[in-house]
Amino acid sequence: MSIFLNGSLKSLQAYVPGEQPQDKAYIKLNTNESPYPPTPLLQKKIDAGALCDLRLYPDPECAAARQAVADWYGVKRENVLLTNGSDEALSFLFMGFFENGVDFPDITYGFYKVFGDLYHLDYRELPLTEDFDINPKDYMATGRGKVIANPNAPTGKTLPLKDLYDIADSDPNYLLVIDEAYVDFGGETAIPLAMSRENVVVVGTFSKSRSLAGGRLGFAIGPKPIIDDLQKIRYSTNPYNINRLTLLAGECAMEDKAYFEKNCREIIETRDFTRQELLRRGFRCLPSCANFLFCAPPKAGGEAYYQALRDRGILVRHFGASRIRDFVRVTIGLKKDMEVFLAASDDILKGV
Ligand SMILES: *Cc1c(COP(=O)(O)O)cnc(C)c1O
């Protein structure tokens, strides 16, 4: 740390992303990326003209890609904000909307806490139940902002939409942010809730179900006044936050609906197959509506199991927090990857 950093940032603990090894060919099941490439349509559209256009700034209004997202979800373009990954949408929301405090679960996406610290917010981490469920009552009439990932990460569990309606309506003067990074793998979107209330925003991403983690494209959908506020923050930080190739990739992803649906269907099938196989082996494995499974091996501890998988060329994610130390989070890859993962697990567990 230099002597120049502001005092208010000295103790900030940054977000720790999952490993992105650049050396060895691992089977990568640690950061919830898609095992499938982006739609082949994209390759056709990235021609010499598109590359030449990189000399020009991208459209600050992101008109075409925003319209594609609006059309997909049946909302107006003015209800859509596009961002550099959904992390940026979340950053804008934490920056701008939670001066009266914000609540989120104790076990959830790690970035919420980091943003809470970065923006010096009064945040509370409300404990999930023993079974890793959100208790909706904890979030009702709190007089504070709320951020709920649905499905939640890293648990993969969902909260019924009805509970989200009740939470939103219990506290109409405070913002409810619903992070739907994994909704395409079996969840139910709350966009109709966001479009029928004044205090709800849904955040989504192209990183998981649309195979564009490396492209960095996310969005927020909600009432026009909130989207306008978010645009003000965006224009005050970086109006060119999404590059031309990524805007193009986003449009292609929305256009190729059949490809998207097929990939989601296959990931869901592979997930359900993998979960059955883990249960059969005596794992504890939470039901999942996401593209990952949260599971605890029958004998080895979570960290030892993570390490043993790593030694066998398979990366999964282990979190140190005490409540979930026994678990690892396993991204759903290709079926053949999951078969290698299961065989490696057998090998590890017979040695314990
Ligand atoms: C992956 C993830 C995101 C962020 O994704 P981006 O790549 O920044 O779009 C947001 N929320 C949750 C819960 C996630 O798991």
Side-chain angles (χ1 to χ4, degrees):
M1 187 164 20
S2 79
I3 60 168
F4 306 106
L5 185 67
N6 290 344
S8 62
L9 293 179
K10 283 198 168 121
S11 63
L12 181 66
Q13 298 273 335
Y15 179 70
V16 181
E19 299 164 85
Q20 299 291 352
Q22 307 295 318
D23 52 343
K24 183 175 156 194
Y26 286 94
I27 294 184
K28 217 176 153 300
L29 308 176
N30 67 330
T31 50
N32 298 343
E33 292 136 328
S34 175
Y36 305 108
T39 162
L41 202 58
L42 177 59
Q43 204 154 30
K44 285 192 217 143
K45 292 263 173 88
I46 298 187
D47 54 13
L51 293 176
C52 184
D53 282 348
L54 284 177
R55 73 192 178 81
L56 301 168
Y57 284 111
D59 171 17
E61 280 293 299
C62 306
R66 259 171 96 199
Q67 192 61 51
V69 173
D71 291 347
W72 180 279
Y73 291 108
V75 302
K76 291 190 190 147
R77 197 201 295 176
E78 67 191 26
N79 298 113
V80 179
L81 168 88
L82 294 187
T83 53
N84 189 311
S86 59
D87 287 338
E88 190 181 48
L90 292 165
S91 177
F92 290 170
L93 286 158
F94 275 83
M95 188 192 303
F97 292 83
F98 295 137
E99 67 183 1
N100 293 310
V102 58
D103 295 337
F104 43 82
D106 62 338
I107 296 163
T108 190
Y109 186 38
F111 231 132
Y112 305 155
K113 185 176 156 58
V114 176
F115 287 137
D117 287 329
L118 178 63
Y119 299 121
H120 309 298
L121 302 176
D122 164 27
Y123 64 84
R124 298 189 303 192
E125 298 168 274
L126 307 182
L128 297 180
T129 67
E130 277 299 297
D131 293 331
F132 300 108
D133 286 312
I134 287 168
N135 180 358
K137 294 220 163 51
D138 293 346
Y139 292 83
M140 287 188 198
T142 53
R144 300 163 62 85
K146 300 138 190 96
V147 182
I148 294 178
N150 197 41
N152 195 13
T155 64
K157 295 189 96 171
T158 53
L159 190 63
L161 268 191
K162 159 103 177 51
D163 291 326
L164 292 171
Y165 274 84
D166 290 346
I167 290 168
D169 291 340
S170 75
D171 231 357
N173 295 322
Y174 294 88
L175 187 67
L176 167 62
V177 173
I178 303 167
D179 180 349
E180 296 191 342
Y182 300 104
V183 74
D184 296 325
F185 303 107
E188 203 180 347
T189 183
I191 288 173
L193 167 61
M195 297 315 298
S196 64
R197 300 296 190 275
E198 289 173 2
N199 64 327
V200 181
V201 180
V202 167
V203 171
T205 180
F206 284 65
S207 293
K208 278 99 189 203
S209 58
R210 296 181 198 273
S211 307
L212 283 173
R216 312 306 300 129
L217 186 61
F219 57 86
I221 293 181
K224 181 171 185 296
I226 297 177
I227 298 300
D228 288 349
D229 294 341
L230 289 166
Q231 292 287 14
K232 178 156 94 176
I233 296 174
R234 177 175 164 266
Y235 273 87
S236 306
T237 49
N238 179 5
Y240 304 119
N241 57 339
I242 307 163
N243 74 72
R244 283 177 168 273
L245 294 180
T246 295
L247 287 170
L248 190 61
E251 284 173 62
C252 292
M254 286 312 195
E255 194 175 326
D256 198 349
K257 189 171 184 204
Y259 184 75
F260 161 80
E261 285 175 343
K262 175 167 171 287
N263 290 347
C264 290
R265 208 164 46 234
E266 281 179 10
I267 288 167
I268 290 169
E269 266 175 39
T270 306
R271 175 191 71 206
D272 295 347
F273 157 79
T274 306
R275 179 160 187 265
Q276 287 313 313
E277 291 296 312
L278 289 172
L279 291 174
R280 208 159 61 76
R281 287 163 169 80
F283 279 69
R284 179 169 180 205
C285 187
L286 303 188
S288 171
C289 284
N291 67 338
F292 57 81
L293 290 167
F294 200 51
C295 60
K299 288 177 274 176
E303 175 142 37
Y305 176 54
Y306 154 83
Q307 195 56 51
L309 285 169
R310 197 173 199 286
D311 294 343
R312 288 164 178 77
I314 300 165
L315 282 185
V316 300
R317 190 93 198 252
H318 177 257
F319 300 92
S322 60
R323 276 189 83 181
I324 53 172
R325 232 184 342 228
D326 293 341
F327 286 78
V328 297
R329 189 193 68 192
V330 183
T331 303
I332 302 305
L334 299 174
K335 182 146 187 208
K336 71 173 167 52
D337 297 334
M338 304 322 284
E339 281 163 349
V340 173
F341 157 74
L342 289 165
S345 299
D346 288 340
D347 188 46
I348 293 163
L349 291 173
K350 84 172 185 280
V352 177

